[in-house]
Amino acid sequence: MKGRITYDDVVLATVKVIRKAQTCLPSDVIAALERAYEKEESETARSQLGAILKNIEIAGGKSVPMCQDTGILVFFIEIGRSLILDFDLEGAIIEGVRRATVEVPLRPNAVSPLSRKNSGDNTGNGLPDINYTFVEGKKLTIMVAPKGAGSENMSTLHMFNPTEVSKIREFVLETVLKAGGMPCPPIVVGIGIGGSFDKAARLAKQALLMDMNDMNNFELELLKDINTLGIGTMGMGGSITALAVHVKQAYCHTASLPVAVNIQCWANRHAKITLGGNNEHL
Amino acid sequence: MSTYELFTPLEKEDIRKLQVGDVVYLNGIIYTARDEAHAHILELDEKKEKLPFDLEGMAIYHCGPLMVKEEDKWKAVAAGPTTSARMSSMTPKMLERHNVRALIGKGGMPGMADILKDRCVYLAYTGGCAALAAESIKRILSVHWLQLGMPEAIWVLEVEHFGPLVVGIDAHGQDLYEKVRECALTRFYQLR
């Protein structure tokens, strides 16, 4: 790529990054699943983990989506401060989603919330969900995280009193307990603490994108407790219920303590592509 | 833990031999149906209208597949299971009126063991394994109610060696998920 980034560049990059996310898991996620398969002792859970690893291989090999729930598409866009973007960036991403729906293909998942009418192309008022941040430099990075409903539906948010910090652990455990086998364990647990009602939820979602091999002591302790529950792969028992736990924090009002728990299935799909700087990186 | 190769339509004897934890591979015809399809079946039943398909001895697959049309023929791209618990409230009526012998899905169906007893089993397909599932779908025989949307329509699938399916709830009142849940609840109270 030479010169300025164009509308068409963004459309093509969006299709490409969606295909990558739907067909190939990030290496840290695959490594975590392989470790789980090695460590798990329950025969039933191992048969399920074996099917998951086989499924990942087929999806990658045939370049087809690993799960039929290709999710709603959540984008995290990083815009270099020195970039000149003299076109409709949002429009280009939306067009990319429409094309990916046909080309990858994706299941049409976007419906109007009350009439339940399906738009047919994974777009609609508010979808895809696009988040922008500014960074140094002159590159444009498009990250997509397709989010399926099975795990999203098991997520929770609670506005705690500021004196209830010690109750956070129980709240997380209760969320995982109630979810049981429904969110397709082994899960990844993203926790957002602080911010505001809506910001806590956004932090929880972003926590899902963190490197699964890199957890701090608080996160490791939570992971140990979650796995003690014994829910196991697909809720049929076993020693591994979660692969990773990540926490993101933000300052909040002195009178509040928002806590959000975003549950992610084993298919922790996300991919990114960078445009600008004379090349394109997927 | 035994492994069985079963063929639809299923007889009562086929499912009576199954115990929770057993592994099943299915062959023959299965019907996808999720939220809207269940609601529509019950609506037609309520009006005493005939369904455009026969569920006798059949397996219902809780699945909203991703299909493509190639030269006028539908093909399954990805067809893994969806969360079965969403269908729990509609399942008792469905089983009252139709002799469905197997429900296939993921995550289990809390409180359904008594309803399923002596007439139906719940088989768990590994959640998210949609590419793997599509491999064992040999043909799409027909599609009903496509106006409900691709995921919500009823797809009639011919499958071969479809699995591994784990018996999650058997026809004897046993529920594998319930046992795991009880144990998890005990541990939760200990950890709290």
Side-chain angles (χ1 to χ4, degrees), chain B residues 117-137:
Chain B
K117 205 172 173 186
D118 291 327
R119 54 177 167 185
C120 191
V121 288
Y122 178 80
L123 306 174
Y125 192 85
T126 317
C129 289
L132 183 67
E135 294 262 288
S136 20
I137 298 172

Side-chain angles (χ1 to χ4, degrees), chain A residues 32-175:
Chain A
L33 284 163
E34 284 171 345
R35 272 201 308 275
Y37 182 71
E38 277 159 29
K39 259 177 74 180
E40 183 57 76
E41 283 175 3
S42 148
E43 264 312 300
T44 307
R46 270 178 68 84
S47 77
Q48 303 294 295
L49 287 163
I52 289 171
L53 291 170
K54 201 167 153 192
N55 182 68
I56 293 169
E57 216 180 289
I58 294 170
K62 291 182 135 188
S63 192
V64 295
M66 65 193 78
C67 181
Q68 81 289 339
D69 186 355
T70 47
I72 53 165
L73 300 169
V74 185
F75 285 92
F76 296 96
I77 310 293
E78 286 177 6
I79 304 170
R81 269 184 248 281
S82 319
L83 259 183
I84 297 172
L85 295 169
D86 53 357
F87 59 87
D88 178 7
L89 178 62
E90 185 172 321
I93 294 166
I94 292 171
E95 178 55 24
V97 169
R98 288 200 179 106
R99 282 200 208 169
T101 301
V102 180
E103 290 174 22
V104 174
L106 308 177
R107 192 176 71 180
N109 280 336
V111 303
S112 173
L114 297 178
S115 75
R116 310 307 292 174
K117 195 175 161 9
N118 197 313
S119 70
D121 63 4
N122 283 305
T123 72
N125 182 20
L127 282 182
D129 178 7
I130 310 174
N131 304 271
Y132 302 96
T133 48
F134 289 99
V135 294
E136 286 308 316
K138 48 182 177 184
K139 289 182 182 170
L140 177 72
T141 298
I142 303 170
M143 183 196 242
V144 67
K147 193 69 170 78
S151 56
E152 189 77 351
N153 285 351
M154 299 298 129
S155 304
T156 52
L157 190 143
H158 190 75
M159 303 301 285
F160 283 95
N161 284 327
T163 53
E164 293 176 325
V165 171
S166 64
K167 288 190 176 172
I168 295 174
R169 179 175 155 275
E170 186 182 329
F171 177 62
V172 174
L173 284 174
E174 200 182 355
T175 300

Side-chain angles (χ1 to χ4, degrees), chain A residues 17 52 85 120 127 144 146 149 151 154 161 178 189 194 203 218 231 248 259 263 270:
Chain A
V17 77
I52 289 171
L85 295 169
L127 282 182
V144 67
S151 56
M154 299 298 129
N161 284 327
K178 282 184 178 164
V189 182
L203 288 169
F218 179 57
I231 293 163
K248 267 186 174 275
V259 178
I263 305 285
H270 50 272

Side-chain angles (χ1 to χ4, degrees), chain B residues 35-51:
Chain B
D35 311 61
E36 302 288 341
H38 276 73
H40 201 51
I41 289 172
L42 296 190
E43 202 184 304
L44 291 184
D45 284 346
E46 206 69 47
K47 288 196 257 175
K48 307 243 185 288
E49 280 181 36
K50 206 169 173 272
L51 300 181

Side-chain angles (χ1 to χ4, degrees), chain A residues 6 22 33 58-59 75 79 96 113 141 194 210 217-218 221 233 240:
Chain A
T6 66
Q22 299 285 358
L33 284 163
I58 294 170
F75 285 92
I79 304 170
T141 298
M210 293 163 76
N217 284 341
F218 179 57
E221 268 172 41
T233 302
I240 296 154

